[in-house]
Amino acid sequence: MSNIPGDLKYTKEHEWARVEGGTVTVGITDHAQTTLGDVVYVELPKVGDTVTKDAPFGTVESVKAVSELFAPISGKVLEVNGELEASPEDVNSDPYGDGWLIKIAPSDASQVNGLLDAAAYAKLLENA
Amino acid sequence: MTRRTPLNEAHRALGARMVDFAGWDMPVQYTSLIAEHEAVRTAVGLFDVSHMGEIEFSGPGALETVNALISNDLTRITDGQAVYAGLLNEQGGFVDDVVAYRFSPERILICVNASNREKDFAWMKAHARGVTPVDRSEDFAQIAVQGPKAAGLVQRLTKTDLSKIGTYRFAEGEVAGVRAILSRTGYTGEDGFELYCAPGDAVALWNALLAEGQADGVKPCGLGARDSLRTEMKYALYGNDIDDAHTALEAGLGWIVKLDKPAFIGKEALVAQKAAGVKRKLVGFELTGPGIPRHGYAIHKDGRPVGEVTSGTAAPSLAKKAIGIGYVPAELAAEGSTFDVDIRGRAVPAVVVKTPFYKKP
């Protein structure tokens, strides 16, 4: 069973978003990292880049496969998890913690309300 | 309809993640691709390869019939030996890559890729002059036992003296009480055996290998590890690195093409290509910039597309170095040549290296 923390928001593409003040931290879910397998490379935008809701902002690669990452909301990239360059496996071992990907300053904070809550995301996985 | 091997339930019971592969429901990984890969390099791994096909030629003239179909030469080996070979089209491209087992001049068994089984059988029937092939795929399950501890594990389960079976040799015997062909072959770069048995015996054999192999650190391994292991060896995968449009010489498989043989399909085209010079070659390369090369990515030189990546991965046994295989013009094929791989619009530099990428410590 996948770990789905109750305090996060989710996308149908298996990203999570954590809202703290004016910052939204983004990562991929436990389900996503399990499905992808051993993560060996993560390609992320640069600080200051703009990301657009539902558009790709990077890729995460396992030995076997490449997956695009989709932005849960639009905004400017405030911070990028540089640790993942050296230890991309953090995405597998701690997807909601050390495996975070980017922090965004949202251009429209209300977009967060359109994301799935934990219950809705759990339902999505059940029906997948 | 998706096909299932006799081990399908066993894979599910072990928690494998299943995927569709060439119409078969197969395990891609059980726990972690990297852990399975490492098990094969350092201990022993089990692969269900029952989806592979087996086509038999038996009766007087079997050897001659097969020898006119395959690129390698069955007259150069003895009974109890196998050869890796190409089934080539008239242009010297691959219909498939196969392993041909010589039981006797009157019995040859050919192991073919799952994805090509029907195509190969139809092609063999159409081109065989002499003995008529029989598709025996339904009569065999196959388990590959691969890794430095593979021979020790299999030896504890059989009375057959495995020290007498050298590489690319085989014998018939019993393993864990199950009738099997014990073939010292595989596609991982490690020592090991491929065990062919009756489908009804596959679960018993699989379970016996798993139980006896506990002491060796045996792991069931999926298609994911199989792909990363063979890529580290630069072993060609049909449909990725070799196909009907690339010749055996371009693929660097000249060693399985015996141009001095009297005749085989594709020979004339290859003789002509050899005389004219091979214009593009399959090379192994490493990325010197960030990213991972993947099948289908373009290879660029000075901003212009000149070739294509056919396989690539982050190599688990090479500290996850990004390695790839691809076709490039002959002038870029030498070790040390450089070019770029177009990774989703980004030009990432790469250098041609000596292969296999992985060398045993």
Side-chain angles (χ1 to χ4, degrees):
Chain A
M1 217 25 228
S2 285
N3 175 17
I4 306 172
D7 59 336
L8 304 180
K9 295 285 195 173
Y10 299 89
T11 71
K12 287 178 183 155
E13 307 286 353
H14 310 287
E15 288 85 14
W16 55 260
R18 177 183 288 124
V19 184
E20 288 163 312
T23 306
V24 178
T25 305
V26 178
I28 65 168
T29 65
D30 184 39
H31 169 81
Q33 69 79 15
T34 307
T35 309
L36 197 60
D38 304 286
V39 173
V40 288
Y41 185 71
V42 184
E43 192 176 297
L44 296 172
K46 290 183 183 60
V47 171
D49 284 359
T50 303
V51 299
T52 308
K53 182 175 164 57
D54 299 332
F57 69 88
T59 53
V60 56
E61 304 197 32
S62 66
V63 180
K64 188 76 185 140
V66 188
S67 291
E68 289 200 316
L69 296 162
F70 295 90
I73 56 162
S74 300
K76 190 170 269 199
V77 178
L78 284 178
E79 210 178 318
V80 173
N81 186 354
E83 298 291 319
L84 296 181
E85 216 169 288
S87 50
E89 62 274 12
D90 287 353
V91 174
N92 292 115
S93 57
D94 194 7
Y96 301 111
D98 290 346
W100 68 275
L101 302 174
I102 59 171
K103 295 188 182 185
I104 302 172
S107 54
D108 174 2
S110 72
Q111 281 182 342
V112 170
N113 301 328
L115 297 171
L116 305 173
D117 62 17
Y121 181 64
K123 194 153 215 164
L124 180 97
L125 293 189
E126 262 171 52
N127 298 333
Chain B
M1 206 186 77
T2 309
R3 298 186 213 185
R4 296 178 165 212
T5 76
L7 294 166
N8 193 276
E9 287 303 317
H11 300 318
R12 289 167 182 280
L14 288 164
R17 185 174 337 131
M18 308 298 286
V19 294
D20 178 80
F21 177 79
W24 290 79
D25 185 49
M26 298 298 287
V28 64
Q29 69 176 51
Y30 296 81
T31 53
S32 147
L33 185 161
I34 291 176
E36 291 162 27
H37 180 112
E38 288 303 314
V40 173
R41 287 275 181 255
T42 61
V44 55
L46 299 187
F47 297 86
D48 177 11
V49 283
S50 302
H51 57 313
M52 306 283 281
E54 293 83 14
I55 296 169
E56 187 173 77
F57 291 75
S58 69
L63 187 144
E64 292 74 14
T65 303
V66 175
N67 230 21
L69 296 177
I70 68 172
S71 65
N72 214 325
D73 192 349
L74 288 171
T75 68
R76 295 191 190 192
I77 61 169
T78 57
D79 296 348
Q81 254 185 295
V83 290
Y84 179 58
L87 298 181
L88 305 181
N89 58 32
E90 294 287 354
Q91 292 75 45
F94 282 89
V95 175
D96 201 3
D97 63 327
V98 303
V99 175
Y101 291 88
R102 178 173 156 165
F103 288 79
S104 77
E106 299 196 356
R107 186 181 172 214
I108 311 291
L109 189 70
I110 301 183
C111 181
V112 305
N113 280 302
S115 54
N116 291 335
R117 175 182 151 192
E118 282 81 10
K119 177 185 79 170
D120 289 357
F121 185 56
W123 184 88
M124 287 178 188
K125 272 201 298 194
H127 292 91
R129 300 283 170 267
V131 171
T132 306
V134 177
D135 187 347
R136 294 277 315 274
S137 303
E138 302 300 327
D139 301 333
F140 290 105
Q142 195 189 146
I143 298 170
V145 192
Q146 301 280 298
K149 296 186 176 176
L153 166 57
V154 177
Q155 186 64 79
R156 296 200 300 276
L157 292 169
T158 183
K159 292 195 179 87
T160 303
D161 181 0
L162 301 184
S163 70
K164 299 249 162 44
I165 308 176
T167 305
Y168 266 76
R169 289 173 190 270
F170 63 97
E172 291 176 278
E174 273 191 10
V175 181
V178 165
R179 289 287 308 160
I181 300 166
L182 295 79
S183 170
R184 199 158 202 153
T185 49
Y187 224 58
T188 61
E190 299 298 327
D191 184 22
F193 283 84
E194 293 178 302
L195 305 173
Y196 294 75
C197 67
D201 291 335
V203 171
L205 181 56
W206 176 265
N207 287 338
L209 288 161
L210 271 185
E212 181 63 36
Q214 289 306 310
D216 305 301
V218 71
K219 273 196 185 352
C221 301
L223 294 172
R226 195 169 164 79
D227 195 53
S228 56
L229 287 158
R230 69 94 195 162
T231 302
E232 287 184 344
M233 297 305 296
K234 196 180 170 249
Y235 290 158
L237 174 66
Y238 193 88
N240 271 42
D241 314 294
I242 53 176
D243 55 31
D244 54 6
H246 293 89
T247 75
L249 298 180
E250 290 168 346
L253 291 170
W255 65 277
I256 65 166
V257 176
K258 305 298 185 220
L259 293 178
D260 53 347
K261 242 169 69 167
F264 64 90
I265 296 169
K267 178 181 166 180
E268 285 167 27
L270 294 177
V271 168
Q273 187 178 44
K274 194 172 183 184
V278 179
K279 302 279 193 294
R280 60 180 174 185
K281 287 183 178 165
L282 190 65
V283 298
F285 61 85
E286 284 175 13
L287 290 192
T288 49
I292 300 171
R294 305 279 181 184
H295 176 73
Y297 287 3
I299 289 173
H300 288 190
K301 183 69 183 177
D302 302 325
R304 290 214 316 274
V306 294
E308 196 173 63
V309 176
T310 56
S311 288
T313 193
S317 302
L318 302 168
K320 295 176 196 148
K321 190 183 280 180
I323 60 168
I325 302 171
Y327 284 98
V328 296
E331 60 269 23
L332 289 179
E335 205 182 318
S337 295
T338 57
F339 47 74
D340 298 318
V341 176
D342 179 2
I343 299 185
R344 302 182 293 274
R346 203 158 48 85
V348 180
V351 59
V352 176
V353 297
K354 193 183 278 201
T355 53
F357 299 98
Y358 174 78
K359 284 159 206 83
K360 277 187 209 181

